Amino acid sequence: MIDYIEPVFRPPSEWKSLILQVTNGCSWNNCSFCMYTQPQKQFRAQKLDKIEQDILTAAASGYPIARVFLADGDAMSLPFKRLKEICELINTHLPSVTRISSYCLPRNLTNKTVEQLQELKAMGLSLLYVGCESGDDQVLTLIEKGENYQSSLTALEKIKQAGMKSSVMILMGLGGVALSEQHALNSARLMNAAQPDYLSTLVVSLPLGTERMDKVFGGKFVLPDTQGLLKEMGVLLTNLELEKTIFRSDHASNYLVLKGVLGKDKAALVAQVEHAIKGTIPLRQEWQRGL
């Protein structure tokens, strides 16, 4: 019913949501693992009349719509005024919607006040998926994320102050073999300081090749093998000190599916990883994995 500029990516938990493409691509577009490198994914904001037409099309479909996800890579790069207009259109034409969510780069919130975020939250925009990727400044510099430990923490604290929920993504393997341990340790340190509502881990995927990662890693990027990724996960989980964060490692890129609440399920999750390292529980096969 809606024409999308492909490819379109969404969090696994938004599989039932209306995907509303309010921007195309990513405004930063410099990360070494960037998924928006095709010519048609050059960043631009969608015109408001196109967004309204997509909402009207969805409303006329008759499908029950309870959630809306604002795509693409960082819809929160839009100015507060435009985000407010979009939320107003959703509220008007899709009154059954109970939650609006979006990807969010930490830098997206630099020029948005807590009060503005509170206003958006009151209109239904209540969950932001923050791609921190790592809490390690060396890794973040190498991958050209344009963020650091402190900028990520500042953004997550602002989300909490606004009463919104945050879902943080950490990319396992992002530091390669050489920086695996410090990537896991400092990612745990960032999460401990931020105490996000949700935390998910994905394995870094490079479907368009490793050329950009090879360049920034000084010749060749070496992704940890399955055992290395499991050990990295073990380091991350062991060092996480979270109070009531819902944890998911169930994305299609992961070899081992993990679900629980941290910290009450920490010991059980660490034990699962240890069993996986020993080979006593099954892992996803390569053909079962995907981006």
Side-chain angles (χ1 to χ4, degrees):
M1 297 180 296
I2 295 175
D3 292 326
Y4 294 105
I5 303 171
E6 300 284 356
V8 176
F9 300 97
R10 58 153 179 84
S13 57
E14 298 291 340
W15 68 281
K16 285 186 176 181
S17 303
L18 168 65
I19 309 301
L20 190 62
Q21 200 169 36
V22 301
T23 63
N24 180 50
C26 175
S27 63
W28 176 243
N29 207 219
N30 286 319
C31 295
S32 303
F33 60 88
C34 183
M35 300 181 293
Y36 299 110
T37 58
Q38 302 93 325
Q40 76 274 16
K41 297 306 292 184
Q42 185 174 356
F43 179 79
R44 71 171 184 271
Q46 293 281 29
K47 293 182 179 179
L48 191 62
D49 58 355
K50 170 65 165 64
I51 296 171
E52 182 173 19
Q53 185 55 57
D54 287 346
I55 293 172
L56 290 171
T57 298
S61 71
Y63 288 106
I65 298 173
R67 295 180 176 180
V68 174
F69 176 74
L70 306 180
D72 265 339
D74 63 330
M76 289 300 291
S77 63
L78 293 173
F80 165 71
K81 180 176 180 292
R82 175 54 58 88
L83 288 167
K84 184 177 177 180
E85 290 171 334
I86 293 169
C87 289
E88 287 173 341
L89 288 171
I90 294 171
N91 292 170
T92 298
H93 301 297
L94 297 170
S96 60
V97 169
T98 58
R99 187 183 83 185
I100 305 170
S101 59
S102 171
Y103 282 135
C104 177
L105 299 180
R107 69 175 58 79
N108 294 160
L109 302 186
T110 302
N111 296 320
K112 294 180 177 67
T113 66
V114 171
E115 291 73 25
Q116 288 175 332
L117 293 178
Q118 287 174 333
E119 190 170 344
L120 293 174
K121 197 259 183 177
M123 300 177 73
L125 181 52
S126 57
L127 174 62
L128 298 180
Y129 295 89
V130 185
C132 291
E133 326 303 4
S134 178
D136 184 77
D137 283 348
Q138 184 179 1
V139 171
L140 290 168
T141 298
L142 283 171
I143 65 171
E144 301 183 56
K145 179 70 180 178
E147 305 285 356
N148 54 42
Y149 174 96
Q150 189 56 53
S151 69
S152 295
L153 180 58
T154 298
L156 292 169
E157 288 176 337
K158 183 177 281 190
I159 292 169
K160 192 179 292 286
Q161 290 167 12
M164 291 175 158
K165 291 187 176 181
S166 60
S167 180
V168 176
M169 292 161 285
I170 297 294
L171 283 179
M172 306 307 292
L174 191 59
V177 171
L179 304 181
S180 175
E181 184 173 12
Q182 71 183 61
H183 166 54
L185 287 171
N186 285 315
S187 295
R189 184 169 68 96
L190 175 60
M191 294 302 95
N192 293 343
Q195 296 289 317
D197 299 282
Y198 304 93
L199 171 60
S200 63
T201 61
L202 297 71
V203 174
V204 63
S205 301
L206 303 168
L208 302 178
T210 63
E211 182 178 354
R212 293 177 69 180
M213 291 289 280
D214 290 342
K215 180 180 179 182
V216 298
F217 273 81
K220 185 170 179 58
F221 174 74
V222 181
L223 181 70
D225 60 14
T226 306
Q227 284 286 302
L229 289 168
L230 290 171
K231 289 176 182 177
E232 185 173 288
M233 176 63 76
V235 173
L236 176 70
L237 286 171
T238 299
N239 287 276
L240 283 172
E241 297 297 337
L242 300 174
E243 297 171 6
K244 51 180 180 179
T245 296
I246 296 173
F247 175 73
R248 294 289 184 268
S249 184
D250 56 354
H251 185 266
S253 63
N254 294 303
Y255 287 97
L256 176 65
V257 174
L258 296 168
K259 298 180 182 181
V261 178
L262 295 170
K264 72 180 183 69
D265 297 324
K266 176 177 174 176
L269 291 169
V270 170
Q272 281 184 263
V273 174
E274 291 174 348
H275 284 300
I277 291 172
K278 294 176 182 177
T280 55
I281 57 176
L283 302 176
R284 279 183 176 146
Q285 301 300 305
E286 289 296 338
W287 64 269
Q288 296 174 305
R289 298 175 64 242
L291 180 59

